[in-house]
Amino acid sequence: MDDFLAARSQMALSLGFHIIYACIGMVMPFFMAVAHYKWLKTKNPHYQNVAKAWSKGVAIFFATGAVSGTILSFELGLLWPKFMQHAGPIFGMPFSLEGTAFFIEAIALGFFLYGWGKLNPAFHWFTGVVVGVSGLASGILVVAGNSWMNSPAGFDYVNGQYLNIDPIKAMFNNAWFAEALHMTLAAFAATGFAVAGVHALMIIRKRNVAFHKTAFKIAAVFACIAAILQPFAGDIAAKSVAKRQPAKLAAMEAYFHTTTPAPLLIGGVPNEKEKKVDYAIELPGMLSFLVHDNFKGEVRGLDTIPQQDQPPVAITHYAFQIMVGLGMFMMAVALLYFTALWFKKNWQVKNWLLKLFVAAIPTGFIAVEAGWTVTEVGRQPWIIQGIMRTADAVTPMPGIAYSFYIFTAIYISLSIVVIFLLYRQIRMVPVVYDKPEADLQLNHH
């Protein structure tokens, strides 16, 4: 493995792990705050137990997210020093603000974890909300940095020099809103389905059913709302990509030739040698409609992009298809769940519906990983779109392959520890019986 491939692989590995921790850290505090609010209003002990249990999960992912995020910060300087030399002064603002949000999140989380029975109930709940808002802000600010790489703004590039720097314009670049919205909904859907699926599994196994039913409903509602909204956010993001990064869109859809009108391809195997896609299902005019809001618009293919500026087609196309396919599956589950809530209430106790949520446990995070693959691989060969190539930004330091192997071992070990801690937390959830159940237990004994 050469050093360039090792540097890219190490960054991909770090991002791949960190994005899961970050998504959960962004979203779980909102679940926790809702459960806490419901407890304050109803005094139902199940809500209190759910809030406490989830707060411990939030603490675990806050710690792992802090570790993995810190590693990523160092890796930017270690692996891509030329990128940081030029880009740091331009898009440093969202990262500095992210540090502030992280600091606020840490303080609020401390208040929440140790405030049970010590703080004013309303203020205690408010600290939980602050954890969620600051965590969400952290994620959005980091996405602002990434969106700048896809849509550079806030400077003039003249003769290799970065002049007239405006950090505000850099942070709120043209890609920022579309990426932030898409990523936020993805985080809610992925985390919501994972959490709801775990609780659904416990319900199926009849373990502490009342507790898990309470938790399941909160997580499922969040997940399903996000899953239904996500296609609309995806449409906004796709239109943004078509306008700013036509090469990425062409790779996503495996469009080797400019086409008018352009069909939407479902599935298919890109044949880069013959410049075609085999075995794809074509929906006539649909890609033109998604990009231009009409069925006759032209969609640029890779034939309009110089060969040296074209991203890898197969990886980008497959990742995009996986993301969309899993997104459609989650939306279908969401529609079934809301049908059960509003029209078919007897479905809520059916195992088939719970098993769909169990099946959806990994789907959101796989979709998130696939989406980030599209974002990053689809931008290649650029680290800053149209300005700096990835190969020109890599460190000249030798031996990066060994660093990649070490970090791989670290992340795998960290993930094993996290899984163990979460498993222990699920097993330690206290059982609280409703009054009729408690009476039955007493009569039985």
Side-chain angles (χ1 to χ4, degrees):
M1 182 184 291
D2 62 43
D3 287 333
F4 179 56
L5 180 59
R8 290 190 63 193
S9 299
Q10 182 173 327
M11 204 70 194
L13 175 85
S14 302
L15 280 168
F17 277 96
H18 177 69
I19 197 170
I20 295 176
Y21 304 146
C23 284
I24 298 172
M26 287 166 59
V27 172
M28 279 294 291
F30 289 101
F31 298 179
M32 174 187 78
V34 168
H36 192 187
Y37 176 81
K38 295 287 284 184
W39 175 66
L40 292 176
K41 287 295 182 182
T42 67
K43 297 304 178 184
N44 184 332
H46 295 307
Y47 286 117
Q48 183 185 35
N49 285 340
V50 168
K52 286 185 175 182
W54 279 347
S55 70
K56 293 173 183 176
V58 169
I60 291 170
F61 282 103
F62 177 83
T64 52
V67 171
S68 58
T70 302
I71 291 173
L72 272 171
S73 299
F74 285 117
E75 282 179 336
L76 282 172
L78 172 68
L79 302 176
W80 314 103
K82 295 179 183 178
F83 167 70
M84 291 303 294
Q85 176 187 353
H86 297 290
I90 304 172
F91 81 113
M93 177 176 285
F95 283 98
S96 63
L97 293 175
E98 190 274 337
T100 303
F102 177 81
F103 181 66
I104 294 171
E105 183 183 6
I107 294 172
L109 182 59
F111 274 115
F112 189 85
L113 290 174
Y114 298 104
W116 292 99
K118 300 180 180 69
L119 300 174
N120 174 277
F123 178 75
H124 186 212
W125 171 79
F126 176 71
T127 62
V129 175
V130 172
V131 174
V133 172
S134 54
L136 186 61
S138 293
I140 291 174
L141 287 165
V142 170
V143 170
N146 178 265
S147 64
W148 178 84
M149 297 164 69
N150 290 301
S151 181
F155 65 97
D156 294 324
Y157 187 64
V158 182
N159 297 325
Q161 299 294 315
Y162 298 80
L163 307 174
N164 302 321
I165 293 172
D166 186 337
I168 300 296
K169 286 184 178 179
M171 184 165 68
F172 296 108
N173 57 78
N174 291 335
W176 170 78
F177 175 76
E179 280 199 31
L181 178 63
H182 195 48
M183 185 63 231
T184 299
L185 289 174
F188 272 95
T191 305
F193 275 108
V195 173
V198 170
H199 291 294
L201 182 62
M202 295 298 105
I203 295 169
I204 292 171
R205 293 179 176 178
K206 302 188 185 306
R207 296 181 182 175
N208 203 353
V209 172
F211 169 87
H212 290 293
K213 278 186 175 180
T214 302
F216 169 80
K217 187 170 184 178
I218 294 172
V221 169
F222 271 104
C224 292
I225 291 173
I228 290 172
L229 293 177
Q230 186 64 291
F232 300 100
D235 180 63
I236 294 171
K239 284 181 168 62
S240 177
V241 168
K243 183 177 180 180
R244 298 176 292 96
Q245 296 174 293
K248 180 185 287 187
L249 180 70
M252 288 161 56
E253 296 291 345
Y255 258 59
F256 294 100
H257 306 286
T258 301
T259 308
T260 308
L264 180 68
L265 302 183
I266 299 177
V269 178
N271 186 334
E272 298 189 52
K273 184 177 180 180
E274 299 184 17
K275 307 296 183 184
K276 65 176 185 176
V277 181
D278 299 321
Y279 315 116
I281 300 172
E282 294 189 4
L283 302 180
M286 281 304 298
L287 186 59
S288 293
F289 177 77
L290 292 174
V291 171
H292 300 292
D293 291 326
N294 68 71
F295 290 96
K296 296 182 179 180
E298 178 182 273
V299 175
R300 289 177 60 185
L302 291 169
D303 55 354
T304 65
I305 310 296
Q307 184 69 36
Q308 68 273 17
D309 295 340
Q310 295 181 11
V313 176
I315 295 175
T316 309
H317 178 69
Y318 292 139
F320 179 68
Q321 294 292 317
I322 289 170
M323 178 187 71
V324 173
L326 293 177
M328 291 298 101
F329 170 73
M330 288 185 284
M331 186 176 71
V333 175
L335 291 173
L336 285 172
Y337 181 68
F338 284 130
T339 300
L341 282 184
W342 296 330
F343 305 111
K344 298 283 188 179
K345 295 189 182 299
N346 62 310
W347 287 6
Q348 295 181 47
V349 296
K350 301 293 185 181
N351 272 6
W352 63 264
L353 183 62
L354 295 173
K355 286 178 179 178
L356 282 175
F357 277 92
V358 174
I361 288 174
T363 55
F365 289 118
I366 295 172
V368 166
E369 298 284 6
W372 273 97
T373 300
V374 171
T375 299
E376 298 304 299
V377 176
R379 191 180 60 246
Q380 299 307 311
W382 305 101
I383 192 168
I384 306 175
Q385 180 69 44
I387 303 292
M388 178 183 285
R389 292 180 181 271
T390 309
D392 296 332
V394 72
T395 179
M397 184 179 69
I400 297 298
Y402 299 106
S403 173
F404 168 64
Y405 300 141
I406 292 170
F407 275 87
T408 299
I410 290 172
Y411 276 111
I412 291 174
S413 302
L414 182 63
S415 297
I416 291 171
V417 171
V418 169
I419 291 170
F420 168 75
L421 290 174
L422 291 176
Y423 177 74
R424 191 179 70 168
Q425 279 303 124
I426 292 171
R427 290 183 61 87
M428 290 175 62
V429 170
V431 178
V432 176
Y433 295 104
D434 294 326
K435 191 175 186 307
E437 294 178 4
D439 291 342
L440 284 174
Q441 293 290 327
L442 290 172
N443 292 336
H444 176 72
H445 290 293

